[in-house]
Amino acid sequence: MNQSVQAVIDRSTDDIVDVLANYIDLKRSGTGYKACCPFHDEKTPSLSISEQKGIWKCFGCGEGGSAIDFVMKMEGLEFIEAVKKLANQFHITIHKSNKPAEKPSGNRDALVPGLFNQKSEIRKQKKVFVHLSLHKVI
């Protein structure tokens, strides 16, 4: 994974409270924060933010994930667009990779260059939740 993208992922995980506070009002609750979820109508806060884990979860509608997931959902952005937005916020320059694109070998992970390596890296770090939707190409 590109080092500058990884820097954005790490920074957004460490600063999840700051990222979410740009969109919603947060209130300290024990070791974390609570807020009313912006993804469904509610009057009592059901969205919890764990600063230590760098994740958020709504116990009302079930949504949750990383700071990047939150920005993606709030702004209707794709992953890389959300990363670029956060990179700008954190004053991190995204460097383009000089590696040539991998040639697809027929399996699903090969359809998107580097997807297998990114999924493996994400599983190892358990810092970012990425939701992938694979569609059959006709």
Side-chain angles (χ1 to χ4, degrees):
M1 185 178 295
N2 185 312
Q3 286 182 345
S4 52
V5 171
Q6 187 62 50
V8 173
I9 292 169
D10 292 343
R11 180 75 184 273
S12 67
T13 300
D14 293 341
D15 295 345
I16 190 166
V17 170
D18 294 333
V19 173
L20 272 63
N22 287 327
Y23 297 95
I24 56 177
D25 292 326
L26 304 177
K27 292 187 176 40
R28 176 64 92 170
S29 175
T31 60
Y33 290 84
K34 287 202 174 250
C36 287
C37 181
F39 306 120
H40 73 280
D41 190 31
E42 67 179 3
K43 293 181 182 178
T44 305
S46 63
L47 188 137
S48 293
I49 300 99
S50 171
E51 197 169 16
Q52 290 103 359
K53 294 178 183 177
I55 59 173
W56 60 276
K57 173 74 174 166
C58 176
F59 294 97
C61 68
E63 292 289 339
S66 68
I68 295 172
D69 293 318
F70 190 86
V71 172
M72 288 170 60
K73 188 152 181 70
M74 285 295 293
E75 305 254 348
L77 301 174
E78 295 294 323
F79 177 78
I80 196 63
E81 294 168 325
V83 168
K84 287 178 182 177
K85 181 173 182 66
L86 289 169
N88 187 44
Q89 178 181 330
F90 297 135
H91 307 289
I92 297 173
T93 303
I94 299 288
H95 300 287
K96 291 185 179 180
S97 176
N98 292 333
K99 292 181 183 178
E102 297 173 17
K103 199 173 190 180
S105 63
N107 68 30
R108 285 183 173 177
D109 291 330
L111 294 175
V112 178
L115 179 61
F116 179 77
N117 292 337
Q118 287 181 356
K119 285 180 3 185
S120 296
E121 191 66 29
I122 289 166
R123 283 189 190 111
K124 284 181 199 171
Q125 294 185 11
K126 295 183 181 176
K127 290 185 177 180
V128 179
F129 297 28
V130 177
H131 305 283
L132 298 174
S133 176
L134 298 175
H135 299 283
K136 187 176 180 181
V137 179
I138 298 175

